[in-house]
Structure formats: C-alpha cells, structure tokens
C-alpha cells in the first residue's frame, strides 16, 4: 500500500461533514460557503517533533494538540471554528496503521469537540515528523478581536490556570511522571469564551509563548503599559510546591498554556460577568499609560526577566 493511500484511508472519514462544506477531502481543493455577513479568519501553526512536542509524545496527543493550538488562535480572535487542513511530513518508520490510527483519533476527537471538519491536507515523506495545521473560522464582519485595542484603565484578564504545561514539560524532559501531563498534551482551546467576548473585550491573544511575552504583544500593538499582580494569576496547586522564583518563571516565561489573555473595560467586565456567570474570567491586572510591563506581588514590585519562548 502506498504512503498516500494509507493516509487517505485514515483521513477520509476522520471528521463529520460541516454544513458550510460543498466539497471536502478527495479533490484538488475543498470548496466551502462563507456565511452571510461573516469574514473568514485563518491561521496556520506548525508542530515539529522534538521542538514543539517532546519525543515520546503519544500519536493521539500529537494529533490532538496540533489541531487544538490552531483552534486556540481562532478563539483568540473571537472566531467560530469551521474547518482545518492538515499537512503531514511523515518519516517512513511512522507510516504505519497503528501510528496513523492514533494520530487520526486525536485529530478527530478535538474536531468533534468543536464541530470542526477536516476538509483537506497534504502528505509527504520527511526525516522529522511535522504537522502543519491550517484552521479556518468565521466572525461577524468587523468583529474580530485584535491584539491592538487595549485602553488605559482596562482590566487585564486570563481564562484559566497558567504555567501547568511548562511544569509538565520540565518533568517530561527529566523523565519524570507528572500529574499535569494532560495540560501539556491535550490543551483545551477557549473557543466558547473567545466568541462570547466579541463586543466586550478590547484586545485579545492566546498564551502560547508565555504570559509575559504574549502580554507584551498586546502592549506593543496597543501602545500601552500594564501592571500585573502575580498573586492574582490562577494556577495549579502543584506549582505551590516550587520556590517563588521557579513558580513565577513557569507562569510568566513558560508557554503552551493556550488560555486567553484579554483586556476589557471595567464596565464591560461587569456586564460580561452578569451575562455569562459560568464562563471563566480571572482579572490579573490593569492597563496603564506608557510602554512598561510592571509585575507586583502583594503590592510590592517584583523584578523578573520576561523571555517567553525563544523560537530560534
Ligand atoms: P494533490 O496532488 O492535488 O495535492 P493529494 O494527492 O495531495 O492531491 O491529495 C488528495 C486529496 O487528499 C486532497 O483532497 C487532499 O486534501 C487530501 N489529503 C491529502 N493528505 C491529507 C491529509 N494529511 N489530511 C487530510 N487530507 C489529505
Ligand atoms: Mg497534495
């Protein structure tokens, strides 16, 4: 069986058909309808074995995470996910039924969870396993939430626990078991919250490279500064076993959190919380004039280098 027919067999029925799809997998291109008064929102993220996920990560987790991180990017714009295209560069030792079935199960589960269809992709041989996912979504015209837009006195919020994946990655690289493994392997994109924040949040990003660095992107794009209260950042009890320094290194300079980080005016925050009492929102600071990010702990300023994820 050729490599391609093997892949095709696995991916053909990986996900349910979406109502917007006129033509899915099997032709030269997919053909899709765009809902009236909507804009197409698109992104691509590439995951390389040994670089974006540790060697030894399960095939299921690789498939799940490659899709989830892209849905997180759509969530950060307030978009409703629609479909993905999946580029696979596959070493010959992984071109077998067991590996592909598990990879497809991971892709299929996260697509099922968020009503997303796999509408196409490309497959090639390679020395290093690489997955490149293109994700497509929709927003009502003009309503995408950008990095630019934060205003002075806005509240800075996150959608959930920060630092867990970074702690888990450190454990995995040291060959240890960790109760935080699923935070690293199976990130949960905050799709419902992202959509609900349309019309409320003034700016938004998802935390992939570290809270400090990703907040830096909002501040630069919005030309403002921020004061963050470290003691207000939600995290997992597991991090309380670490020293103060280690704990906040993971929280500020870790990464792979895939929580949303957004700014919202105090009035909108109150309205939003009344309208959506069950959606997770944790205020962690506020936007100030200037271009500086100040970190405080119990009202005392804390000095820390903000590095985040270094790509090269
Ligand atoms: P082409 O030569 O026109 O690029 P391919 O042989 O690469 O066509 O792909 C044939 C069909 O299978 C296309 O519809 C393509 O989208 C789909 N396909 C190929 N690889 C994948 C994949 N990894 N995931 C999903 N669909 C795929
Ligand atoms: Mg092709």
């Amino acid at each position: 069986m050729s490599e391609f027919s093997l892949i095709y067999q696995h991916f053909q029925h990986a996900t349910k058909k979406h109502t917007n799809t006129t033509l899915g997998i099997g032709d030269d291109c997919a053909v899709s309808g765009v809902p009236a008064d909507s804009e197409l929102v698109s992104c691509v993220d590439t995951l390389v074995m040994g670089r974006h996920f540790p060697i030894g990560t399960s095939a299921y987790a690789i498939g799940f995470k490659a899709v989830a991180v892209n849905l997180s990017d759509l969530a950060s714009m307030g978009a409703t996910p629609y479909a993905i295209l999946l580029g696979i560069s596959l070493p010959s030792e992984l071109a077998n039924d067991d590996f592909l079935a598990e990879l497809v199960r991971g892709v299929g589960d996260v697509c099922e969870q968020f009503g997303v269809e796999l509408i196409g992709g490309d497959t090639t041989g390679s020395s290093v396993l690489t997955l490149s996912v293109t994700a497509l979504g929709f927003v009502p015209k003009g309503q995408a939430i950008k990095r630019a837009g934060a205003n002075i006195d806005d509240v800075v919020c996150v959608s959930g626990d920060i630092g867990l994946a970074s702690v888990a990655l450190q454990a995995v690289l040291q060959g240890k078991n960790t109760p935080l493994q699923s935070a690293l392997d199976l990130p949960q994109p905050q799709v419902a919250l992202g959509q609900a924040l349309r019309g409320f949040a003034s700016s938004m990003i998802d935390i992939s490279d570290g809270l400090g660095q990703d907040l830096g992107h909002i501040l630069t794009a919005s030309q403002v500064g921020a004061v963050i209260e470290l003691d207000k950042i939600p995290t997992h009890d597991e991090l309380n076993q670490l020293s103060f320094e280690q704990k906040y290194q993971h929280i500020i300079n870790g990464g792979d959190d895939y929580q949303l980080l957004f700014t919202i005016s105090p009035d909108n925050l109150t309205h939003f919380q009344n309208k959506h009492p069950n959606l997770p929102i944790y205020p962690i600071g506020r936007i100030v004039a200037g271009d500086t990010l100040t970190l405080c702990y119990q009202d005392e300023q804390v000095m820390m280098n903000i590095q985040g994820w270094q790509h090269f």
Side-chain angles (χ1 to χ4, degrees):
M1 188 181 278
S2 76
E3 212 163 83
F4 171 70
S5 54
L6 188 67
I7 301 281
Y8 187 75
Q9 206 178 54
H10 280 279
F11 282 87
Q12 202 179 3
H13 300 296
T15 59
K16 284 187 194 141
K17 200 166 155 58
H18 194 286
T19 48
N20 286 100
T21 306
T22 312
L23 186 60
I25 290 179
D27 214 307
D28 291 317
C29 294
V31 180
S32 309
V34 177
D37 300 318
S38 290
E39 288 176 305
L40 178 67
V41 183
S42 48
C43 61
V44 58
D45 243 326
T46 300
L47 279 81
V48 179
M49 166 90 91
R51 184 173 278 254
H52 299 98
F53 49 88
I55 291 163
T57 303
S58 72
Y60 180 89
I62 292 169
F64 189 103
K65 186 168 181 174
V67 177
V69 302
N70 279 280
L71 300 187
S72 179
D73 276 324
L74 291 181
S76 77
M77 306 302 290
T80 303
Y82 150 57
I84 57 162
L85 295 123
L86 175 60
I88 306 182
S89 306
L90 193 68
S92 52
E93 67 269 20
L94 296 179
N96 61 67
D97 264 326
D98 289 348
F99 180 83
L100 288 170
E102 276 303 286
L103 187 82
V104 170
R105 199 166 66 81
V107 168
D109 278 0
V110 67
C111 285
E112 172 83 26
Q113 189 184 341
F114 294 98
V116 167
E117 179 180 356
L118 177 65
I119 56 170
D122 192 32
T123 310
T124 171
S126 160
S127 53
V128 185
L129 176 68
T130 304
L131 296 194
S132 187
V133 175
T134 299
L136 309 174
F138 301 114
V139 284
K141 266 194 182 115
Q143 286 194 39
I145 307 172
K146 302 187 277 285
R147 295 177 178 189
N151 298 303
I152 293 164
D153 292 334
D154 278 357
V155 183
V156 179
C157 301
V158 293
S159 58
D161 287 349
I162 308 295
L164 284 56
S166 173
V167 171
L169 177 62
Q170 192 178 56
V172 167
L173 294 177
Q174 292 171 348
K176 296 180 190 156
N177 287 328
T178 167
L180 302 179
Q181 185 78 45
S182 68
L184 178 65
D185 284 348
L186 310 173
Q188 292 294 310
Q190 301 296 305
V191 169
L193 177 63
Q195 292 175 65
L197 282 166
R198 290 198 304 250
F200 288 95
S202 52
S203 71
M204 185 147 68
I205 193 168
D206 70 318
I207 306 178
S208 53
D209 294 343
L211 196 165
Q213 188 178 327
D214 287 321
L215 177 56
H217 293 316
I218 284 187
L219 301 185
T220 303
S222 304
Q223 298 186 286
V224 291
V227 178
I228 297 299
E229 298 173 67
L230 295 179
D231 40 312
K232 294 212 174 134
I233 302 173
T235 189
H236 190 278
D237 249 358
E238 192 72 11
L239 274 77
N240 293 326
Q241 299 175 14
L242 305 172
S243 70
F244 181 92
E245 173 67 21
Q246 287 175 331
K247 173 179 171 180
Y248 284 104
Q249 274 300 328
H250 286 295
I251 288 175
I252 297 299
N253 287 328
D256 262 6
D257 295 298
Y258 303 105
Q259 296 292 344
L260 295 175
L261 171 67
F262 58 96
T263 59
I264 185 167
S265 71
D267 280 353
N268 275 358
L269 178 57
T270 306
H271 292 150
F272 187 88
Q273 286 178 317
N274 288 335
K275 189 173 172 192
H276 300 285
N278 297 322
L279 288 177
I281 290 195
Y282 302 88
I284 61 166
R286 67 198 161 83
I287 296 295
V288 297
D291 59 4
T292 312
L293 171 53
T294 307
L295 303 176
C296 296
Y297 187 84
Q298 293 175 353
D299 296 329
E300 297 271 334
Q301 191 172 343
V302 176
M303 301 309 284
M304 253 179 92
N305 281 330
I306 295 169
Q307 297 157 333
W309 173 252
Q310 300 300 312
H311 290 274
F312 299 104

